[in-house]
Amino acid sequence: MTSWVNGIGTLLVSAARSSGFGIDLVGQTLRATPCLLTYRRIKDVRDLLFGYILAAFPVTSLVSIVIGMILAIGMGVTLEDFGQEHRIGWLVSATIVREMGALMTAFILAASLGSGIAAEIGTMKVSEEIDALEVMSISPIKFLIVPRVVALILVCPIMTIYADLIGILGGSVISSSQFGVSFTTYQLQALDALDLRDVLQSIGKALVFGGIVAFVGCTQGLLTSGGATGVGQATRRAVVVSFLLVLVVGYIMSWLIYR
Amino acid sequence: MIHLEDVHKSFGSKNILNGLDLHVEAGETFVIIGRSGIGKSVTLRHIVGLLHPDSGTVRVFDDDLSTFSEKQLRQHRRSIGYLFQDGALLNWLSLEDNVALPLREHQAGTASEIQAKVLETLDHVELREHRHKLPTEISGGMRKRAGLARALVTDPKIVLYDEPTSGLDPISSSIINELVRDLQKKFGMCQVIVTHDMHSAFTIADRIGMLHNGRLQAIGTPDEIRNSSSDAVIQFVEGRIEGPLSHHGPADKSQSSVTGTKS
Ligand SMILES: Nc1ncnc2c1ncn2[C@@H]1O[C@H](COP(=O)(O)OP(=O)(O)OP(=O)(O)O)[C@@H](O)[C@H]1O
Ligand SMILES: [Mg+2]
């Protein structure tokens, strides 16, 4: 009995500690952003950006096309009952662009890039590389955190738009092969479902999710202690915390947008 | 040049430094010896302000570090070089870029000036032909030498070495010892070296201090240490299992219990 009470207590304390650290990190990072005006940091961001896009590309493609197909099947079956299967494109694209696209991209990036950032920075922490930067008077915030955060915040909307497109494409394959809806109809319906506002909201969400994934990864990385095991824990925590935060913040944002 | 006075430091309930006094003069090479986990690295970290004492003062270049702002601390660190236990090189940068890093980040000269300085420093540690390799592609001894090059490239007035020869074969160790001595002669820096390696301590030290129970217990020239009559010093230098160090050392419990039953 006392042991799990203790356990929960420890958990709450460490959660409070890392949230405090994370919020402080956001502040420090914002104050350090002017360092992006140097050519070296811009180059860092560019290199990271390309690396991140390459790393996330295969998973994002696969997951989005399958999600698009699943949505199309589920919705197609229901719509067919009402004789409305030509509306599949409308429903798929509205669902993906308004909600699913940004959310699933954030999950993919948390699992592939956020965890990677936590592991990378955690390893640097336990092998004294962060201390070495401090001793060389190089700010780890400017040198490591700012470029990673900026690159991830940029990657997230890019990958979200890509995921939206691929998801809609996946839906079209199903709607034509399983429900006999022509590509043209599907396309027209898909476009009809959206206006500029939907797309902008999707991008806005993606920017916020990118920030969450980046800061959670960096926070967990910097808080790493205790060798290789510690790095493993930091990586796992980065993914779990990102997922939870993205869900909660995503819900709040949808609520604000649509209610 | 470096003055630690009555420094106390605990981590949680673990008391590591307990009234440590350490004074190192300009141009001097001071070697700190002591058992694993006794607080040698912790002592070095205080000198660069990576750790702050619970009580006591740390003065370096006659400045009290506790009065420093973050910015002043950064400025302060620029005249200190620090060789970390495992080199602490950034593993996505080549050796050359690692060594150039502090100069480039502080824009200490034009690209070609920096290049020249980096090559010169890499020559000192005999790594010029390996400069395009990544830290993961070279041996531990080479990583240490690269770490040394990075610590020295900014022409520091104080250099701190955390176990520069640990994990190296005797020949590589001698190369590092020689290097450390030569560089000191050439540039006259003030050096603090942490090591377990008694041979290297005796070769490079002006003075040696043995850390135990949170203080420097015995301080003296290599000859004084070699001929010391203190049981603790003799035990450490000769590497005996039994002796005064075994009972209080925080390290291996198994070892102290073995000696405990024997004595
Ligand atoms: N940041 C820290 N937080 C908690 N404990 C620490 C911290 N830094 C050091 N310690 C503890 O302080 C003790 C002394 O550590 P230190 O690294 O100075 O040992 P050392 O003398 O350098 O040993 P070694 O020769 O093995 O490197 C160790 O028990 C270590 O666990
Ligand atoms: Mg140490």
Side-chain angles (χ1 to χ4, degrees), chain A:
Chain A
M1 165 76 185
T2 44
S3 80
W4 66 259
V5 171
N6 269 341
I8 292 177
T10 324
L11 197 73
L12 286 180
V13 169
S14 81
R17 193 173 82 103
S18 52
S19 327
F21 187 91
I23 291 165
D24 186 49
L25 185 67
V26 174
Q28 286 191 52
T29 307
L30 287 178
R31 260 174 280 133
T33 36
C35 75
L36 282 173
L37 296 175
T38 60
Y39 171 68
R40 288 175 62 78
R41 287 297 88 81
I42 293 176
K43 204 163 128 284
D44 287 348
V45 171
R46 186 199 64 195
D47 293 348
L48 286 167
L49 192 64
F50 285 137
Y52 288 172
I53 290 179
L54 276 182
F57 192 78
V59 198
T60 313
S61 313
L62 192 70
V63 173
S64 339
I65 200 155
V66 174
I67 294 270
M69 290 162 79
I70 292 173
L71 284 176
I73 290 182
M75 290 164 173
V77 171
T78 315
L79 287 171
E80 214 170 23
D81 290 344
F82 300 98
Q84 295 284 318
E85 61 271 25
H86 64 281
R87 304 279 280 174
I88 294 179
W90 198 98
L91 267 186
V92 169
S93 96
T95 316
I96 287 185
V97 175
R98 287 188 195 152
E99 297 292 345
M100 293 290 288
L103 208 57
M104 74 192 176
T105 309
F107 285 168
I108 293 168
L109 297 193
S112 57
L113 304 181
S115 62
I117 290 178
E120 184 183 27
I121 294 183
T123 308
M124 294 185 70
K125 180 78 194 296
V126 297
S127 59
E128 298 187 308
E129 288 166 47
I130 306 270
D131 289 332
L133 289 175
E134 292 274 8
V135 171
M136 290 186 282
S137 308
I138 298 171
S139 152
I141 305 280
K142 291 180 186 163
F143 185 75
L144 293 173
I145 308 298
V146 170
R148 278 165 182 70
V149 167
V150 171
L152 234 168
I153 288 181
L154 293 177
V155 163
C156 202
I158 296 172
M159 292 317 280
T160 298
I161 292 172
Y162 172 72
D164 289 351
L165 290 173
I166 296 291
I168 294 172
L169 189 77
S172 79
V173 173
I174 293 296
S175 84
S176 71
S177 66
Q178 305 293 314
F179 301 100
V181 179
S182 75
F183 279 114
T184 331
T185 315
Y186 182 91
Q187 222 171 50
L188 286 175
Q189 287 287 332
L191 283 175
D192 188 44
L194 304 174
D195 52 27
L196 187 63
R197 231 186 95 185
D198 293 319
V199 177
L200 290 180
Q201 277 161 5
S202 178
I203 292 176
K205 273 192 200 172
L207 289 169
V208 174
F209 291 163
I212 291 176
V213 171
F215 276 114
V216 171
C218 291
T219 302
Q220 295 300 339
L222 288 174
L223 284 175
T224 305
S225 62
T229 333
V231 176
Q233 280 170 352
T235 312
R236 182 170 48 78
R237 260 193 234 123
V239 176
V240 174
V241 175
S242 299
F243 272 39
L244 291 178
L245 273 182
V246 164
L247 281 175
V248 172
V249 173
Y251 175 78
I252 295 174
M253 287 201 304
S254 292
W255 194 83
L256 290 176
I257 291 171
Y258 298 112
R259 298 290 299 179

Side-chain angles (χ1 to χ4, degrees), chain B residues 112-176:
Chain B
S112 56
E113 280 165 8
I114 290 178
Q115 171 81 3
K117 178 76 193 168
V118 168
L119 288 181
E120 184 197 324
T121 313
L122 283 171
D123 273 338
H124 285 317
V125 297
E126 291 168 25
L127 282 177
R128 183 198 267 255
E129 66 270 39
H130 301 289
R131 65 183 183 276
H132 298 302
K133 293 191 178 153
L134 292 173
T136 44
E137 297 167 346
I138 58 174
S139 72
M142 287 158 85
R143 269 201 293 278
K144 287 230 158 127
R145 279 187 279 152
L148 189 57
R150 189 179 66 180
L152 295 173
V153 76
T154 50
D155 293 328
K157 299 192 180 63
I158 294 178
V159 190
L160 310 174
Y161 303 83
D162 201 344
E163 305 195 7
T165 58
S166 70
L168 301 186
D169 67 86
I171 299 170
S172 307
S173 298
S174 298
I175 294 176
I176 296 251

